[in-house]
C-alpha cells in the first residue's frame, strides 16, 4: 500500500523557493514604500502649485479690474482733452476771424475816417 504515503513529505516547500518568495515580498514592500512616499511628495507639490495658481488668478483678476478702471479714466480724460481742444480751436478761429475782420475793416473805410 504505497498509495497513501507516497514517500513525500506533507506540504513542505524547498527552502530555496521560500527564500525567493520572502526576497520578492521584501523587494515589493520596499518598492511600494518608495512609490508611496514619492506619491505623497508629489501630492503636496501639486497642492502647493494649485495654491500658486489660485493666487496668480486672483492677482490677475485684481490687475484686470485696475486696468479696466484706468482705461475708463483714460477714456474720460481723452474726452475732456477733445472738448478742450475743440474749444481752443473754436476760440482760435474766432480770434483769427476777428483779426481778419479788423485787418479788412480799416482798408474799407473812406479816407476821411483815418486819423493822422
Amino acid at each position: 500500500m504505497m498509495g497513501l504515503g507516497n514517500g513525500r513529505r506533507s506540504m513542505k516547500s524547498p527552502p530555496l523557493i521560500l527564500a525567493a518568495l520572502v526576497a520578492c515580498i521584501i523587494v515589493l514592500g520596499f518598492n511600494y514604500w518608495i512609490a508611496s512616499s514619492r506619491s505623497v511628495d508629489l501630492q503636496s507639490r501639486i497642492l502647493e502649485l494649485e495654491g500658486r495658481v489660485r493666487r496668480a488668478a486672483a492677482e490677475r483678476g485684481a490687475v484686470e479690474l485696475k486696468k479696466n478702471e484706468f482705461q475708463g479714466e483714460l477714456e474720460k480724460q481723452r474726452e475732456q482733452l477733445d472738448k478742450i481742444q475743440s474749444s481752443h480751436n473754436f476760440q482760435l478761429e474766432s480770434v483769427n476771424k476777428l483779426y481778419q475782420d479788423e485787418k479788412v475793416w480799416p482798408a474799407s473805410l473812406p479816407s476821411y475816417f483815418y486819423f493822422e
Side-chain angles (χ1 to χ4, degrees), residues 28-111:
L28 288 175
F30 185 69
N31 285 339
Y32 176 78
W33 177 70
I34 289 174
S36 176
S37 63
R38 284 184 183 171
S39 174
V40 169
D41 290 342
L42 290 175
Q43 285 176 349
S44 65
R45 190 162 182 206
I46 286 173
L47 289 176
E48 178 186 340
L49 292 174
E50 284 177 349
R52 284 184 186 176
V53 167
R54 285 189 196 113
R55 283 192 301 271
E59 289 174 2
R60 183 177 180 194
V63 168
E64 287 289 328
L65 288 175
K66 286 183 181 180
K67 178 185 152 193
N68 292 338
E69 182 180 319
F70 286 135
Q71 282 181 340
E73 285 183 33
L74 181 64
E75 191 61 35
K76 288 178 185 177
Q77 289 178 354
R78 283 184 181 163
E79 289 173 3
Q80 288 178 348
L81 183 63
D82 288 341
K83 287 179 183 178
I84 291 170
Q85 192 170 11
S86 66
S87 173
H88 174 72
N89 288 340
F90 178 75
Q91 289 175 354
L92 188 61
E93 288 174 9
S94 297
V95 168
N96 281 338
K97 186 175 180 186
L98 184 62
Y99 173 72
Q100 292 296 329
D101 289 346
E102 286 180 0
K103 199 170 153 184
V104 172
W105 181 68
S108 66
L109 289 177
S111 58

